[in-house]
Amino acid sequence: MRRLFGTSGIRGVVNEDLTPELFLDMGLTLATQLGNSGIVVVGKDPRTSSEMLESALISGLISGGCDVIRLGVVPTPVVGFAVRSLGASAGAMITASHNPPEYNGLKFWDSKGMAYSPALEEEVEELYFRRRTKPVAWDEIGKVEEVDVLPRYLEEITRSVSLKKGYTVVLDCGNGAGAIVTPHLLRRLGCKVITINSQLDGHFPGRGLEPTPENLQELCGVIRSVGADIGLAHDGDADRIAAVDERGRVAEPDKLLALMAAHQVRKKGDTVVTTVDASNVVDESVKAKGGKVVRTKVGDVNVASEVKKRGAIFGGEPSGAWIFPHVHLAPDGPLAAAKILELLSSTGKTLSELLDALPTYPTLRERIACPNEKKTSAMKKFEALATKEFRDVADVLTIDGIRLSLRDGGWLLVRPSGTEPYIRITAEGRTPKRAEEMLNSAVGILKKIIEHKARS
Ligand code: MG
């Protein structure tokens, strides 16, 4: 079957792949899936196209008999929160997260405030492609109401975090949706907040929306010049967090994740969920506190469903999408920002002290060209050959690509790209030399497999 949804909802370039017609259809399709009744909450990020797409989506929803609660511009996690808090049947967020301004997208939420599972997305696709959508009669058309859910959201997040003191924070929202929540949240928690790039602007003039070290250089500079305690940053829809320490260094995402995961462990056996691409520093930090780590496929939906299934205390990806299930099951950037401050407060340490106490494991990445139709068989052959080539394999995980854990503490992940004709390799070693050896071996095996196929 043809697909609409990728790893994080529907994404595309506005008025090319992503048209008002598609959003009208998606509204009617979602309403049909919900049985032509119920309430759907709708949020959007500040992109120039969001209002156009929101109008089309809402038309579709009410023509299908659903009532709509319009939240306006909100971070993505607020939609997940609002579904549960307002007792809605589903939610829809119009956003393209960290993509450039010409993009937009759509992400659905279920009645539990969790992002749509692949199974629910397939139901939507089935209804859409088979044209099984159903509008209602004139007297059953839904109603639209506007609700400001932010006071309720801020109240709940504030309640779930406690700080012993206020910090001086420099906050970079990248002109995205986080700007209407996180500055207020951190001030409520008693912090002094200096904002940069924190006025909503769908042209995103401030910086690239992905909170990478390259995009956070301005933030690093401001921290140094004002002598702040910490810097925090979101992606465009604020479901992710990045941090910069008081010395102006961007925190390595895996180390930041390891700190938070370990901090959430309260008692022996507490479970933390992370993805196959996260560093072993996460496992070590969590185990040192008596907790255990369960790994899932890459993608926040996978993390959320595993957290729910295992009753985990925390779930997080190195991308900075973190889930605190005692509050809700949506990756939540503003909540993550507050939790990082709580971590500083409860340990009494600076972020640089906490980060520098963790070991650094060198990680190398490479991608090998491989046509899409050959990926499956190449991966099968790789598994067979690699388990022979690497003699000290302690564990093999095949939930998302192939992850080999080696006895010396290193690991290797080989994953076909979901969207591009590549197979990606990640190698983490205890030393740079070991990481390089592992990467070279894997590259050698893969090249042999792919080139052999090309000839045969
Ligand atoms: Mg995002």
Side-chain angles (χ1 to χ4, degrees):
M1 195 175 70
R2 277 185 293 161
R3 299 294 325 252
L4 281 171
F5 294 90
T7 43
S8 195
I10 301 172
R11 292 272 170 92
V13 174
V14 171
N15 282 348
E16 289 178 22
D17 324 302
L18 231 65
T19 58
E21 290 87 341
L22 177 67
F23 273 60
L24 185 71
D25 283 341
M26 281 300 108
L28 181 57
T29 307
L30 181 60
T32 308
Q33 188 190 29
L34 297 172
N36 299 98
S37 67
I39 301 169
V40 177
V41 300
V42 176
K44 60 176 188 254
D45 75 10
R47 286 167 193 271
T48 58
S49 57
S50 289
E51 190 164 349
M52 170 185 85
L53 298 172
E54 180 197 40
S55 303
L57 183 78
I58 291 176
S59 288
L61 284 165
I62 60 175
S63 78
C66 284
D67 290 330
V68 167
I69 293 178
R70 184 154 53 190
L71 302 176
V73 175
V74 288
T76 296
V78 172
V79 173
F81 171 85
V83 173
R84 255 187 43 224
S85 147
L86 303 174
S89 312
M93 176 69 188
I94 298 161
T95 179
S97 187
H98 60 271
N99 286 129
E102 64 272 26
Y103 282 78
N104 213 327
L106 181 61
K107 193 167 172 173
F108 288 147
W109 297 82
D110 71 16
S111 60
K112 296 182 184 68
M114 209 167 102
Y116 252 35
S117 64
L120 285 172
E121 288 178 345
E122 274 169 36
E123 269 183 41
V124 172
E125 286 166 335
E126 174 96 8
L127 289 167
Y128 172 73
F129 286 119
R130 291 178 192 268
R131 308 225 161 266
R132 298 264 162 83
T133 52
K134 223 172 54 191
V136 295
W138 66 272
D139 55 351
E140 288 168 1
I141 292 169
K143 294 180 187 66
V144 183
E145 186 190 353
E146 278 179 36
V147 172
D148 180 8
V149 78
L150 291 178
R152 208 187 285 209
Y153 172 78
L154 283 170
E155 187 62 42
E156 178 142 347
I157 304 294
T158 309
R159 248 205 323 259
S160 67
V161 176
S162 72
L163 300 186
K164 289 179 201 146
K165 62 172 242 191
Y167 290 89
T168 301
V169 183
V170 185
L171 176 69
D172 182 348
C173 295
N175 303 109
I180 59 163
V181 168
T182 311
H184 308 287
L185 171 65
L186 301 186
R187 282 178 190 131
R188 274 175 82 138
L189 291 168
C191 293
K192 182 182 175 198
V193 184
I194 299 154
T195 55
I196 58 172
N197 304 320
S198 291
Q199 65 283 31
L200 298 178
D201 188 334
H203 298 89
F204 304 122
R207 61 161 165 90
L209 287 179
E210 183 133 37
T212 56
E214 176 187 48
N215 287 334
L216 299 182
Q217 283 314 302
E218 188 190 0
L219 174 59
C220 296
V222 176
I223 290 164
R224 285 189 215 106
S225 60
V226 304
D229 296 310
I230 189 170
L232 295 164
H234 294 306
D235 66 334
D237 63 330
D239 58 354
R240 289 163 56 183
I241 189 74
V244 179
D245 72 16
E246 76 285 0
R247 293 163 59 186
R249 302 175 306 174
V250 178
E252 281 177 47
D254 290 86
K255 284 191 181 179
L256 194 63
L257 172 63
L259 286 175
M260 187 52 68
H263 182 61
Q264 294 305 306
V265 175
R266 293 284 176 273
K267 57 179 196 311
K268 203 170 177 303
D270 275 353
T271 301
V272 163
V273 174
T274 191
T275 45
V276 290
D277 58 342
S279 167
N280 273 3
V281 73
V282 176
D283 305 57
E284 286 166 18
S285 306
V286 168
K287 274 182 200 151
K289 294 278 298 284
K292 64 170 188 186
V293 169
V294 171
R295 289 187 186 261
T296 67
K297 284 185 183 188
V298 173
D300 64 72
V301 184
N302 301 313
V303 175
S305 57
E306 198 72 21
V307 163
K308 193 169 156 232
K309 194 171 110 194
R310 306 257 181 180
I313 44 126
F314 174 74
E317 291 193 89
S319 67
W322 294 357
I323 294 167
F324 297 90
H326 66 283
V327 180
H328 62 157
L329 285 167
D332 190 320
L335 174 58
K339 287 285 183 185
I340 291 174
L341 295 172
E342 191 181 61
L343 171 71
L344 298 187
S345 166
S346 74
T347 57
K349 292 186 174 153
T350 63
L351 186 59
S352 71
E353 287 168 346
L354 291 168
L355 290 167
D356 292 347
L358 295 175
T360 299
Y361 298 138
T363 307
L364 298 172
R365 293 185 174 85
E366 177 128 11
R367 57 179 202 182
I368 307 284
C370 178
N372 286 332
E373 65 277 10
K374 291 188 176 157
K375 282 176 181 167
T376 312
S377 70
M379 289 300 294
K380 265 201 190 117
K381 289 209 171 116
F382 179 83
E383 187 178 355
L385 289 174
T387 39
K388 277 183 212 147
E389 167 95 14
F390 293 94
R391 294 178 186 282
D392 54 344
V393 175
D395 189 31
V396 183
L397 256 189
T398 54
I399 46 174
D400 190 1
I402 296 164
R403 190 185 203 270
L404 299 176
S405 301
L406 305 184
R407 292 216 173 80
D408 67 359
W411 58 271
L412 181 77
L413 177 69
V414 180
R415 274 180 81 225
S417 160
T419 47
E420 296 170 295
Y422 291 106
I423 292 181
R424 296 180 198 281
I425 307 170
T426 311
E428 178 181 291
R430 291 295 144 113
T431 61
K433 184 168 167 276
R434 207 40 207 127
E436 203 178 322
E437 283 169 6
M438 288 158 61
L439 185 79
N440 288 342
S441 304
V443 168
I445 299 170
L446 265 179
K447 278 194 171 155
K448 220 190 284 172
I449 295 170
I450 295 164
E451 279 159 23
H452 173 73
K453 278 174 173 284
R455 279 198 306 273
S456 61

